[in-house]
Amino acid sequence: MDDKYKFVEFLGLRFNVANDLSVLVSAVLVFILVFALSRKVTMRPGKAQNVLEWMIDFTNGIVKSAIPDGSGKQFNLYAFVLFLFIFVSNQLGLFFQLKVGGFTYVKSPTSNPLITMGLATVSLLISHYYAVKKFGFGGYLANYARPVKFLLPINLLEEFTNFLTLSLRLYGNIFAGEVLLALIGTVAKSLGAVTFVAAMPLAMVWQGFSVFIGAIQAYVFTTLSMVYISRKMEQE
Amino acid sequence: MAGLLVLGANQVALGDMLFILISFIVLALLVKHFAWGPVTKMMDARSEKITGDLDYADQERSRAEKLAKEREDALKNSRAEAVEIVNKAKESGETQEKSIVSAAHSEAEELRQRAKSDAAKAREDAMAGAQNDIANLSLEIASKVISKELNADDQKSLIDSYIKELTVNETK
């Protein structure tokens, strides 16, 4: 789209201020949410604690369905934070976009491929780390030639496709949502009051659908991360 | 935006990846410290407590059942004991009654015997006394009548024979 971003150079690296600010806002929102829900932790849970425990049970269920044996427990926290962070990030751009002087400062951080690639990198690094930890480095490398040797190039290729599909699926969904929302916005402004009224229900419908997509994509990303981790940790 | 997708060295904000890596890790640590840790700990504690409570309830129920059974047995025993005590009391009462009655019987019999023997003895004594008196009296009368000193012994035997005849006649 026609968004413009401010860039900052620091230690030879380029930082997109909009991305980083959005990530920060999402992280802070997630932290505030979780922090507020976990203030009075008691044996008999109150309303807030019940909500938090429901969310924890939900992400634990995702982990358990991908890694049925007990070894999945160590990924419970990762799945929980990942799910909440992506969910909040996806929704952030729907209700809160900050533009100052033509430059975007806050939007959905997941509508940028670098951010989703960063998240996918975390997931895949975890999967490789635990595979090496479980089989040793030799065993980990040998796993690429399983179940039969001639699949080695395909297995290697799969590592890259996993990374790309995991990150670009999330990015594509959220970015498309924002693009369409912006298009509806330009339609609304194009011909004055008539198009404004006509575009209003369209925008509402699409926003509702984007909330749904955001939730689904958070679920899909978390589930696939866990599936990749579990596939790395078992021998075919 | 399109420029970002081109992986040109100068245009790509690779710092963003670093930024999200760091912020995600920091977020995970904060969440773990402030929410995840306490809540999962409490969840584990709760599931442990529920298991413990269920076990304890099972234990208590079996204990209560055992106690109730014991009490029932004790009640049954006490009923049997009570019957036994009553029976024993009845029995001892009966034996006591019998012994008292028999003692009374024997005492009465003894009294009767004693009275009988006393009466017989008194009668004998009276008879002997009367015999002597009558003998002496008749001897005196005879001596006075005949004015002759008779041999007392002959006389006496004579009178005795008389009297014996008399008593024999009397008893007839």
Side-chain angles (χ1 to χ4, degrees), chain A residues 87-105:
Chain A
F87 181 77
V88 171
S89 299
N90 292 349
Q91 312 304 341
L92 183 66
L94 289 178
F95 59 86
F96 185 58
Q97 293 218 21
L98 188 67
K99 278 188 189 183
V100 178
F103 290 103
T104 305
Y105 285 102

Side-chain angles (χ1 to χ4, degrees), chain A:
Chain A
M1 297 300 291
D2 53 354
D3 291 352
K4 282 186 282 180
Y5 302 105
K6 272 244 187 320
F7 291 90
V8 173
E9 293 269 355
F10 182 67
L11 295 176
L13 284 168
R14 255 166 98 82
F15 290 88
N16 183 335
V17 176
N19 284 345
D20 299 345
L21 210 56
S22 307
V23 165
L24 212 56
V25 169
S26 296
V28 168
L29 281 177
V30 169
F31 179 72
I32 288 173
L33 172 74
V34 167
F35 186 80
L37 290 179
S38 66
R39 276 317 80 202
K40 276 181 291 174
V41 178
T42 51
M43 192 63 97
R44 289 158 210 269
K47 274 178 194 164
Q49 199 186 339
N50 262 331
V51 171
L52 190 61
E53 284 185 12
W54 176 76
M55 294 194 293
I56 288 173
D57 275 338
F58 178 72
T59 55
N60 283 359
I62 294 175
V63 176
K64 207 166 190 179
S65 64
I67 314 170
D69 58 348
S71 64
K73 276 196 171 165
Q74 55 195 328
F75 306 116
N76 281 350
L77 172 66
Y78 174 64
F80 177 69
V81 179
L82 190 66
F83 178 80
L84 275 189
F85 179 75
I86 295 177
F87 181 77
V88 171
S89 299
N90 292 349
Q91 312 304 341
L92 183 66
L94 289 178
F95 59 86
F96 185 58
Q97 293 218 21
L98 188 67
K99 278 188 189 183
V100 178
F103 290 103
T104 305
Y105 285 102
V106 176
K107 53 172 190 100
S108 273
T110 41
S111 68
N112 184 290
L114 283 173
I115 299 300
T116 59
M117 279 176 181
L119 286 169
T121 308
V122 176
S123 280
L124 294 175
L125 277 181
I126 285 177
S127 75
H128 288 284
Y129 171 76
Y130 279 97
V132 171
K133 199 178 171 190
K134 188 171 176 185
F135 299 114
F137 193 64
Y140 161 78
L141 288 179
N143 276 352
Y144 282 106
R146 274 177 228 275
V148 276
K149 279 206 173 110
F150 69 83
L151 282 178
L152 176 68
I154 294 177
N155 281 336
L156 283 173
L157 189 65
E158 196 188 18
E159 293 307 316
F160 295 99
T161 55
N162 278 351
F163 172 70
L164 284 176
T165 54
L166 189 60
S167 55
L168 295 184
R169 179 187 301 108
L170 178 59
Y171 152 71
N173 274 283
I174 306 309
F175 181 65
E178 286 198 350
V179 167
L180 195 57
L181 212 55
L183 277 177
I184 292 171
T186 49
V187 167
K189 283 183 269 181
S190 58
L191 287 171
V194 182
T195 49
F196 187 83
V197 173
M200 191 81 100
L202 262 179
M204 282 162 70
V205 167
W206 185 248
Q207 267 187 329
F209 192 59
S210 290
V211 170
F212 175 68
I213 286 177
I216 290 290
Q217 287 308 316
Y219 176 76
V220 166
F221 195 97
T222 312
T223 306
L224 283 178
S225 294
M226 290 305 136
V227 168
Y228 291 154
I229 288 172
S230 83
R231 274 178 54 190
K232 276 272 155 217
M233 284 178 71
E234 64 190 22
Q235 251 164 350
E236 282 171 71

Side-chain angles (χ1 to χ4, degrees), chain B residues 56 93 108:
Chain B
Y56 179 73

Side-chain angles (χ1 to χ4, degrees), chain B residues 20-56:
Chain B
I20 182 138
L21 211 74
I22 291 167
S23 52
F24 188 84
I25 289 166
V26 170
L27 174 67
L29 290 178
L30 284 175
V31 166
K32 184 182 183 183
H33 182 257
F34 284 103
W36 180 267
V39 171
T40 49
K41 207 169 138 195
M42 188 54 71
M43 284 164 90
D44 287 349
R46 186 182 307 131
S47 74
E48 227 164 76
K49 186 181 185 305
I50 287 169
T51 326
D53 282 357
L54 284 177
D55 286 352
Y56 179 73

